[in-house]
Every structure is written in structure tokens, then in C-alpha cells.
Amino acid sequence: MHRSLITIDLAAIRHNVRRLRGLLAGAELWAVVKADGYGHGATDVGRVALEEGAAALCVATVAEALELRSALPEARILVLGDTGSADLAVVREARLELGVSTAEVPEGVPVHLKLDTGMGRWGLSEIVAPGSGVVGVMSHFASADTDSAFTAVQLARYLEATAPLAHLQRHIANSAGTLLYPDAHLDAVRCGIALYGISPFGTDAAEEGLRPALRWESSVALVKTLAPAESTGYGRRFVASRPTRIGIVPVGYADGFRRNMSGTEVVVAGARAVVIGTVSMDAIAIALPAAAEAGDRVTLVGEGVIMEEHAHVSGTIPYEIACGIVSRATRSERVIVDE
Ligand SMILES: *Cc1c(COP(=O)(O)O)cnc(C)c1O
């Protein structure tokens, strides 16, 4: 018996892939499925993204790529993250492509040279003469979601540096860059967050024509009424000022319901309910709407509750909320639907 249920709606992923591809004139869409598809399941998301016309899958690590390879033998798979210590025999055997930030380019592997145009993280400061294994040249935006001036500077640097390399696949745009800057589409765009129907801008992804794919549900395990001056949870951060019916829900920060999400809203019995008191490792308390009873479903994400809201309450970005929602055999179950 699982304490919560995570449902991944692959039809929403399909819709989002079509929506993103619709923005692209000639560029390919590459689906970024690192961190187990931002908590949505890399293999299933990757498979339907390819079915809907994505041309490649991107992950952060060789280990993630190897997992994908065994499930998707035909997919083009690019490892974006640090690959300096990768076992090249394994990489070749699995037909992976590597992003590379050093002037020394591994042999016998398709490589995408990374150029640092302002992210200040991975990437070469200057492009090196590309050897025969180089198939692409990439860069990454630091603030495509918030800063159009700096994004324009990065794009201009990139275009200048790569002008002589037009025979290689050129790619720079993430989801925000893809949604906002058609000039940055180039040969391919690398979209992650938008694929999952989550806004890179922290607003409602519906504004971008995207549909959230993850629903997270649990239930009211116990109902109790706090008398005035009684409290719930660690630190007694919620103290009832009048008789207050609360529901205890068996999900906590160990499941990805972050401790600083106290005060966010969920849906119970069709109505919004506030999470009160301190979030525990394995439980939260909610202020119950009048109609709610023990056993009622509690929707933590879904039914209009979006991760962007939880991110706003907890002072983070929806990416971190999504990656944090963990399905583990001992705690929550993840089911995949595709219809
Ligand atoms: C994660 C990542 C992306 C995808 O970013 P989103 O904002 O999720 O679209 C693209 N490129 C690189 C290099 C990344 O690391």
C-alpha cells in the first residue's frame, strides 16, 4: 500500500513536444531527460518525445545515458554534463555523444564542443579547431528566462565564434530560450522543463500552451480537531485560535514535499486547503475544508495546483520541486498513463 501516487500523463508530454516543435522553423527538438526526466521518468518521457518527433535525448551523466540506451536502442543520446572522466570504451559501445569542455577531444566518439559564452560554468572560453570527431558546438544561456540583454550578448558571442563552423550542429537554447528567442533556435534546441509542462519563467505554463504531466496524490489518513491553543507539528508553528479540523497526510519532505512548503495549498474534496505547521519527514497537516473526511483524496500537484505555486511559496524554482518528488518502492508509486 503506497502512501502517495505519482501519475505521469504521457499524453501531456506528447502535447508539449508537439507544441514546442510547432515553434521551430527548421531546428530539431532535443528532449532533455536528465535527473530521471525531471522526476517524470526518463525512459517513458524519452520514448514518447522521440515518437512525437524529437530528434535526440539529452542527459547529464554517462550512467543516465546507459540506462536510456538499454531501453531505447535506436535513440540519439547526448551527455551534456561533465564527461571528463567517462570510460570511452563504454561510451563508444553505447553509441553516446559527449559534450566536451576541454581542448583535448576524446577520439572515436561524436563530440559537441562546449563554448562558455557567459554561463561561467562548463565550456571553453575560446573555440578550438574542431577535429574530425566533432559533430556539434554548443553553449548554454545563463538567464534566458529573465535577462534579454545578456541573452542577446551570449547569442551574439556564440554566433560570432561559431560562424566558421556552420557545417556542425549548432545549439544553445534551453526551454526559456526556445520560447522567447526564435533567433536562438539554430540547428537544434535542448528543451527540458517545458517538455514537462512546467514554465521556465515560474508562471503558469498554460500561458505557453503547455500542459503539466505530473499529478501527485495522497489521502487524508487521519482527521482530528484541535482545540484552541492546541498545535500541530514540530516547533508548534501552527497553534489553533479556535476549534480547527485538520487532516494528516502521509507525505513529507522525504517524499519531496519540501519542508519550506508549509503555507502552500493542496486540493482536498474539490477545495483548496492550506498546509499548516511544520512539514515533517513523513507527514503534513492541512486545514480541512468543511466537507472533507478521512480517506478523501489529497491532490498535492494537479487539479489546478501547479509546481510553480509550490516553488513560489518555498522560494525555489519549479525545477527543484519536480526533481525532488521521488518515487521509491517503499514510499510512493509512480504510474504512467498514455491516452
Ligand atoms: C538542463 C539543460 C537544458 C534544459 O534546460 P531547461 O531550462 O530545462 O529547458 C539545456 N541545456 C543544458 C546544457 C542543460 O544542462
Side-chain angles (χ1 to χ4, degrees):
M1 185 45 202
H2 288 285
R3 298 151 66 252
S4 73
L5 179 67
I6 298 162
T7 307
I8 306 300
D9 175 9
L10 294 180
I13 303 279
R14 292 181 188 279
H15 166 87
N16 297 334
V17 171
R18 289 196 293 265
R19 160 86 187 124
L20 290 167
R21 287 192 69 212
L23 299 173
L24 306 175
E28 293 182 349
L29 174 66
W30 294 359
V32 180
V33 295
K34 60 194 177 187
D36 197 25
Y38 294 40
H40 291 64
T43 301
D44 291 297
V45 171
R47 178 175 51 78
V48 299
L50 294 169
E51 284 172 10
E52 296 299 332
L57 304 179
C58 303
V59 291
T61 71
V62 171
E64 288 179 342
L66 295 176
E67 258 189 46
L68 272 186
R69 172 56 76 222
S70 59
L72 301 167
E74 306 298 327
R76 183 176 181 197
I77 303 176
L78 165 59
V79 183
L80 298 171
D82 175 36
T83 54
S85 58
D87 181 337
L88 294 180
V90 169
V91 167
R92 279 186 212 108
E93 169 72 25
R95 292 165 286 121
L96 307 179
E97 302 181 23
L98 298 183
V100 168
S101 295
T102 55
E104 266 164 69
V105 169
E107 281 183 20
V109 176
V111 159
H112 298 250
L113 283 180
K114 279 194 207 171
L115 185 62
D116 182 0
T117 55
M119 180 68 171
R121 199 179 62 178
W122 309 114
L124 295 150
S125 311
E126 271 175 54
I127 211 82
V128 294
S132 60
V134 177
V135 298
V137 53
M138 63 183 283
S139 191
H140 194 36
F141 287 134
S143 48
D145 52 334
T146 52
D147 187 342
S148 58
F150 191 69
T151 303
V153 167
Q154 281 196 269
L155 183 59
R157 284 180 185 156
Y158 179 80
L159 291 175
E160 192 190 337
T162 62
L165 306 175
H167 58 293
L168 302 175
Q169 275 197 303
R170 294 192 294 171
H171 47 107
I172 187 168
N174 52 5
S175 294
T178 301
L179 291 166
L180 290 182
Y181 306 107
D183 287 355
H185 291 172
L186 306 176
D187 295 314
V189 299
R190 307 182 305 264
C191 290
I193 200 80
L195 212 59
Y196 306 98
I198 302 170
S199 170
F201 312 117
T203 50
D204 188 344
E207 291 163 16
E208 316 298 335
L210 300 167
R211 294 217 301 251
L214 185 147
R215 194 166 70 230
W216 189 19
E217 295 159 320
S218 186
S219 59
V220 177
L222 186 71
V223 173
K224 64 175 62 180
T225 301
L226 300 179
E230 286 185 335
S231 61
T232 179
Y234 289 114
R236 307 195 66 224
R237 279 170 59 202
F238 177 86
V239 181
S241 53
R242 55 196 147 78
T244 306
R245 273 178 89 234
I246 66 168
I248 309 300
V249 182
V251 164
Y253 60 78
D255 304 280
F257 201 98
R258 296 162 59 97
R259 193 168 178 277
N260 56 7
M261 269 161 48
S262 180
T264 198
E265 292 181 359
V266 298
V267 169
V268 55
R272 289 273 178 146
V274 178
V275 175
I276 54 173
T278 305
V279 171
S280 301
M281 189 184 292
D282 311 304
I284 55 174
I286 57 178
L288 282 185
E293 296 168 23
D296 279 354
R297 182 172 64 212
V298 176
T299 303
L300 308 165
V301 175
E303 282 193 84
V305 176
I306 56 177
M307 288 194 221
E308 290 88 336
E309 289 179 58
H310 294 325
H312 184 72
V313 168
S314 57
T316 185
I317 51 174
Y319 295 72
E320 199 180 4
I321 303 287
C323 292
I325 298 174
V326 283
S327 64
R328 262 183 282 154
T330 50
R331 300 188 76 97
S332 59
E333 186 183 12
R334 182 162 69 198
V335 300
I336 308 290
V337 297
D338 188 8
E339 57 202 18

